[in-house]
Amino acid sequence: MTLSDFWRNESSRFDALLFDIDGTVILGKHALPGVAEFLAMLRRSNTPFWFLTNDGNHTRKEKCRFLSRAGIKAGENEIISCLSVLPDLVKRNDWCNELFFQVGFLGDTQNIQLTTDLDRLGECYGVLMGEGTYDWRTTWEALTSYFRRYPDRPFIVPNPDTCWPSASTGGIGIGAGGQARCLQLLLKEMGVNITPVYLGKPYEEIYNYAVRQLGEIERKRILCVGDSLSSDILGANNAGMFSALVLTGITTRRQAEEAKRESCPQVIFETFNT
Ligand SMILES: [Mg+2]
């Protein structure tokens, strides 16, 4: 079945949609089949939708450019990223005046003081985990020493994802979440326990943020479309929304059929349209 077929019969059950981006609406530089037409149809019928992405590596402006390059129109204010909830976290914990060490690259970071200078890691109150291309070995060795000394310092990981489909290699890219858990395991083997604070899907904070943006919409009337069982589907199920998996990204049909109950999609689509 395709999303278009499903929507033709079931659209009255929903008031809004949330779309994951990578592996769901685009793959690398290209839109996935039928996506541009489906989103244009939603716009014509004034059906609200947002993009919900765990990509913390690019700004919302850059993400719009990637979508536009693939032929999909989107405004910056239609994109909710795992970094959208960072200002609230910083404010709630009164970290506005603290310096954090930024690992790798991050997109829109507001209300937080950051340095990428490893020589200043010792003065940092905590660590904010980005991704992208950086000298992981030097950085991880420094972070290991830092957390051995300060295991209770905040370790903020905006993107919880283990991996993503890499258009440049055709293989798998390792996400910030995957890197954070490697560090956590290394430290555990040294007898040190650290607890990453995750912000993006499947954690509830990003869904609560989305619900605030969408306004008075019942959660079960929000259709969440994504390609990852562990972030998109688990997150939507936990948030009380309707979960839909597309098989255009990192998940195979077999993996979907073998998913545990909490990560089991309510519906599976081969594509948006054939
Ligand atoms: Mg995805």
Side-chain angles (χ1 to χ4, degrees), residues 20-24 227-228 232:
D20 169 52
I21 297 182
D22 295 291
T24 300
D227 71 314
S228 164
D232 301 312

PDB file of all heavy atoms in Angstrom, residues 20-24 227-228 232, ligand 1:
ATOM      1  N   ASP A  20       8.982  12.810   9.113  1.00  0.00           N
ATOM      2  CA  ASP A  20      10.429  12.741   9.224  1.00  0.00           C
ATOM      3  C   ASP A  20      10.995  13.209   7.867  1.00  0.00           C
ATOM      4  O   ASP A  20      10.276  13.222   6.862  1.00  0.00           O
ATOM      5  CB  ASP A  20      10.822  11.280   9.510  1.00  0.00           C
ATOM      6  CG  ASP A  20      12.307  11.051   9.391  1.00  0.00           C
ATOM      7  OD1 ASP A  20      13.067  11.806  10.024  1.00  0.00           O
ATOM      8  OD2 ASP A  20      12.712  10.124   8.645  1.00  0.00           O
ATOM      9  N   ILE A  21      12.253  13.612   7.819  1.00  0.00           N
ATOM     10  CA  ILE A  21      12.800  14.100   6.536  1.00  0.00           C
ATOM     11  C   ILE A  21      13.657  13.027   5.855  1.00  0.00           C
ATOM     12  O   ILE A  21      13.291  12.494   4.815  1.00  0.00           O
ATOM     13  CB  ILE A  21      13.596  15.414   6.744  1.00  0.00           C
ATOM     14  CG1 ILE A  21      12.650  16.521   7.251  1.00  0.00           C
ATOM     15  CG2 ILE A  21      14.241  15.844   5.408  1.00  0.00           C
ATOM     16  CD1 ILE A  21      13.299  17.876   7.451  1.00  0.00           C
ATOM     17  N   ASP A  22      14.815  12.691   6.453  1.00  0.00           N
ATOM     18  CA  ASP A  22      15.772  11.817   5.760  1.00  0.00           C
ATOM     19  C   ASP A  22      15.290  10.370   5.724  1.00  0.00           C
ATOM     20  O   ASP A  22      14.980   9.785   6.757  1.00  0.00           O
ATOM     21  CB  ASP A  22      17.145  11.910   6.430  1.00  0.00           C
ATOM     22  CG  ASP A  22      17.719  13.310   6.282  1.00  0.00           C
ATOM     23  OD1 ASP A  22      18.054  13.671   5.157  1.00  0.00           O
ATOM     24  OD2 ASP A  22      17.780  14.037   7.293  1.00  0.00           O
ATOM     25  N   GLY A  23      15.235   9.829   4.523  1.00  0.00           N
ATOM     26  CA  GLY A  23      14.762   8.457   4.361  1.00  0.00           C
ATOM     27  C   GLY A  23      13.247   8.384   4.241  1.00  0.00           C
ATOM     28  O   GLY A  23      12.691   7.325   3.957  1.00  0.00           O
ATOM     29  N   THR A  24      12.578   9.521   4.476  1.00  0.00           N
ATOM     30  CA  THR A  24      11.110   9.553   4.404  1.00  0.00           C
ATOM     31  C   THR A  24      10.638  10.453   3.264  1.00  0.00           C
ATOM     32  O   THR A  24       9.882  10.021   2.399  1.00  0.00           O
ATOM     33  CB  THR A  24      10.513  10.022   5.747  1.00  0.00           C
ATOM     34  OG1 THR A  24      10.909   9.104   6.767  1.00  0.00           O
ATOM     35  CG2 THR A  24       8.994  10.104   5.681  1.00  0.00           C
ATOM     36  N   ASP A 227      10.793   6.662   8.758  1.00  0.00           N
ATOM     37  CA  ASP A 227      11.433   5.432   8.266  1.00  0.00           C
ATOM     38  C   ASP A 227      12.179   4.669   9.366  1.00  0.00           C
ATOM     39  O   ASP A 227      12.770   3.639   9.087  1.00  0.00           O
ATOM     40  CB  ASP A 227      12.410   5.751   7.120  1.00  0.00           C
ATOM     41  CG  ASP A 227      13.647   6.482   7.614  1.00  0.00           C
ATOM     42  OD1 ASP A 227      13.500   7.440   8.395  1.00  0.00           O
ATOM     43  OD2 ASP A 227      14.768   6.090   7.228  1.00  0.00           O
ATOM     44  N   SER A 228      12.150   5.185  10.589  1.00  0.00           N
ATOM     45  CA  SER A 228      12.919   4.520  11.653  1.00  0.00           C
ATOM     46  C   SER A 228      11.999   3.972  12.740  1.00  0.00           C
ATOM     47  O   SER A 228      11.195   4.709  13.319  1.00  0.00           O
ATOM     48  CB  SER A 228      13.898   5.531  12.273  1.00  0.00           C
ATOM     49  OG  SER A 228      14.355   5.038  13.508  1.00  0.00           O
ATOM     50  N   ASP A 232      11.160   7.240  14.877  1.00  0.00           N
ATOM     51  CA  ASP A 232       9.859   7.748  14.395  1.00  0.00           C
ATOM     52  C   ASP A 232       8.677   6.956  14.954  1.00  0.00           C
ATOM     53  O   ASP A 232       7.691   7.540  15.415  1.00  0.00           O
ATOM     54  CB  ASP A 232       9.810   7.677  12.863  1.00  0.00           C
ATOM     55  CG  ASP A 232      10.917   8.487  12.217  1.00  0.00           C
ATOM     56  OD1 ASP A 232      11.110   9.649  12.618  1.00  0.00           O
ATOM     57  OD2 ASP A 232      11.607   7.958  11.327  1.00  0.00           O
TER      58      ASP A 232
HETATM   59 MG    MG B   1      14.643   9.186   8.819  1.00  0.00          MG
END
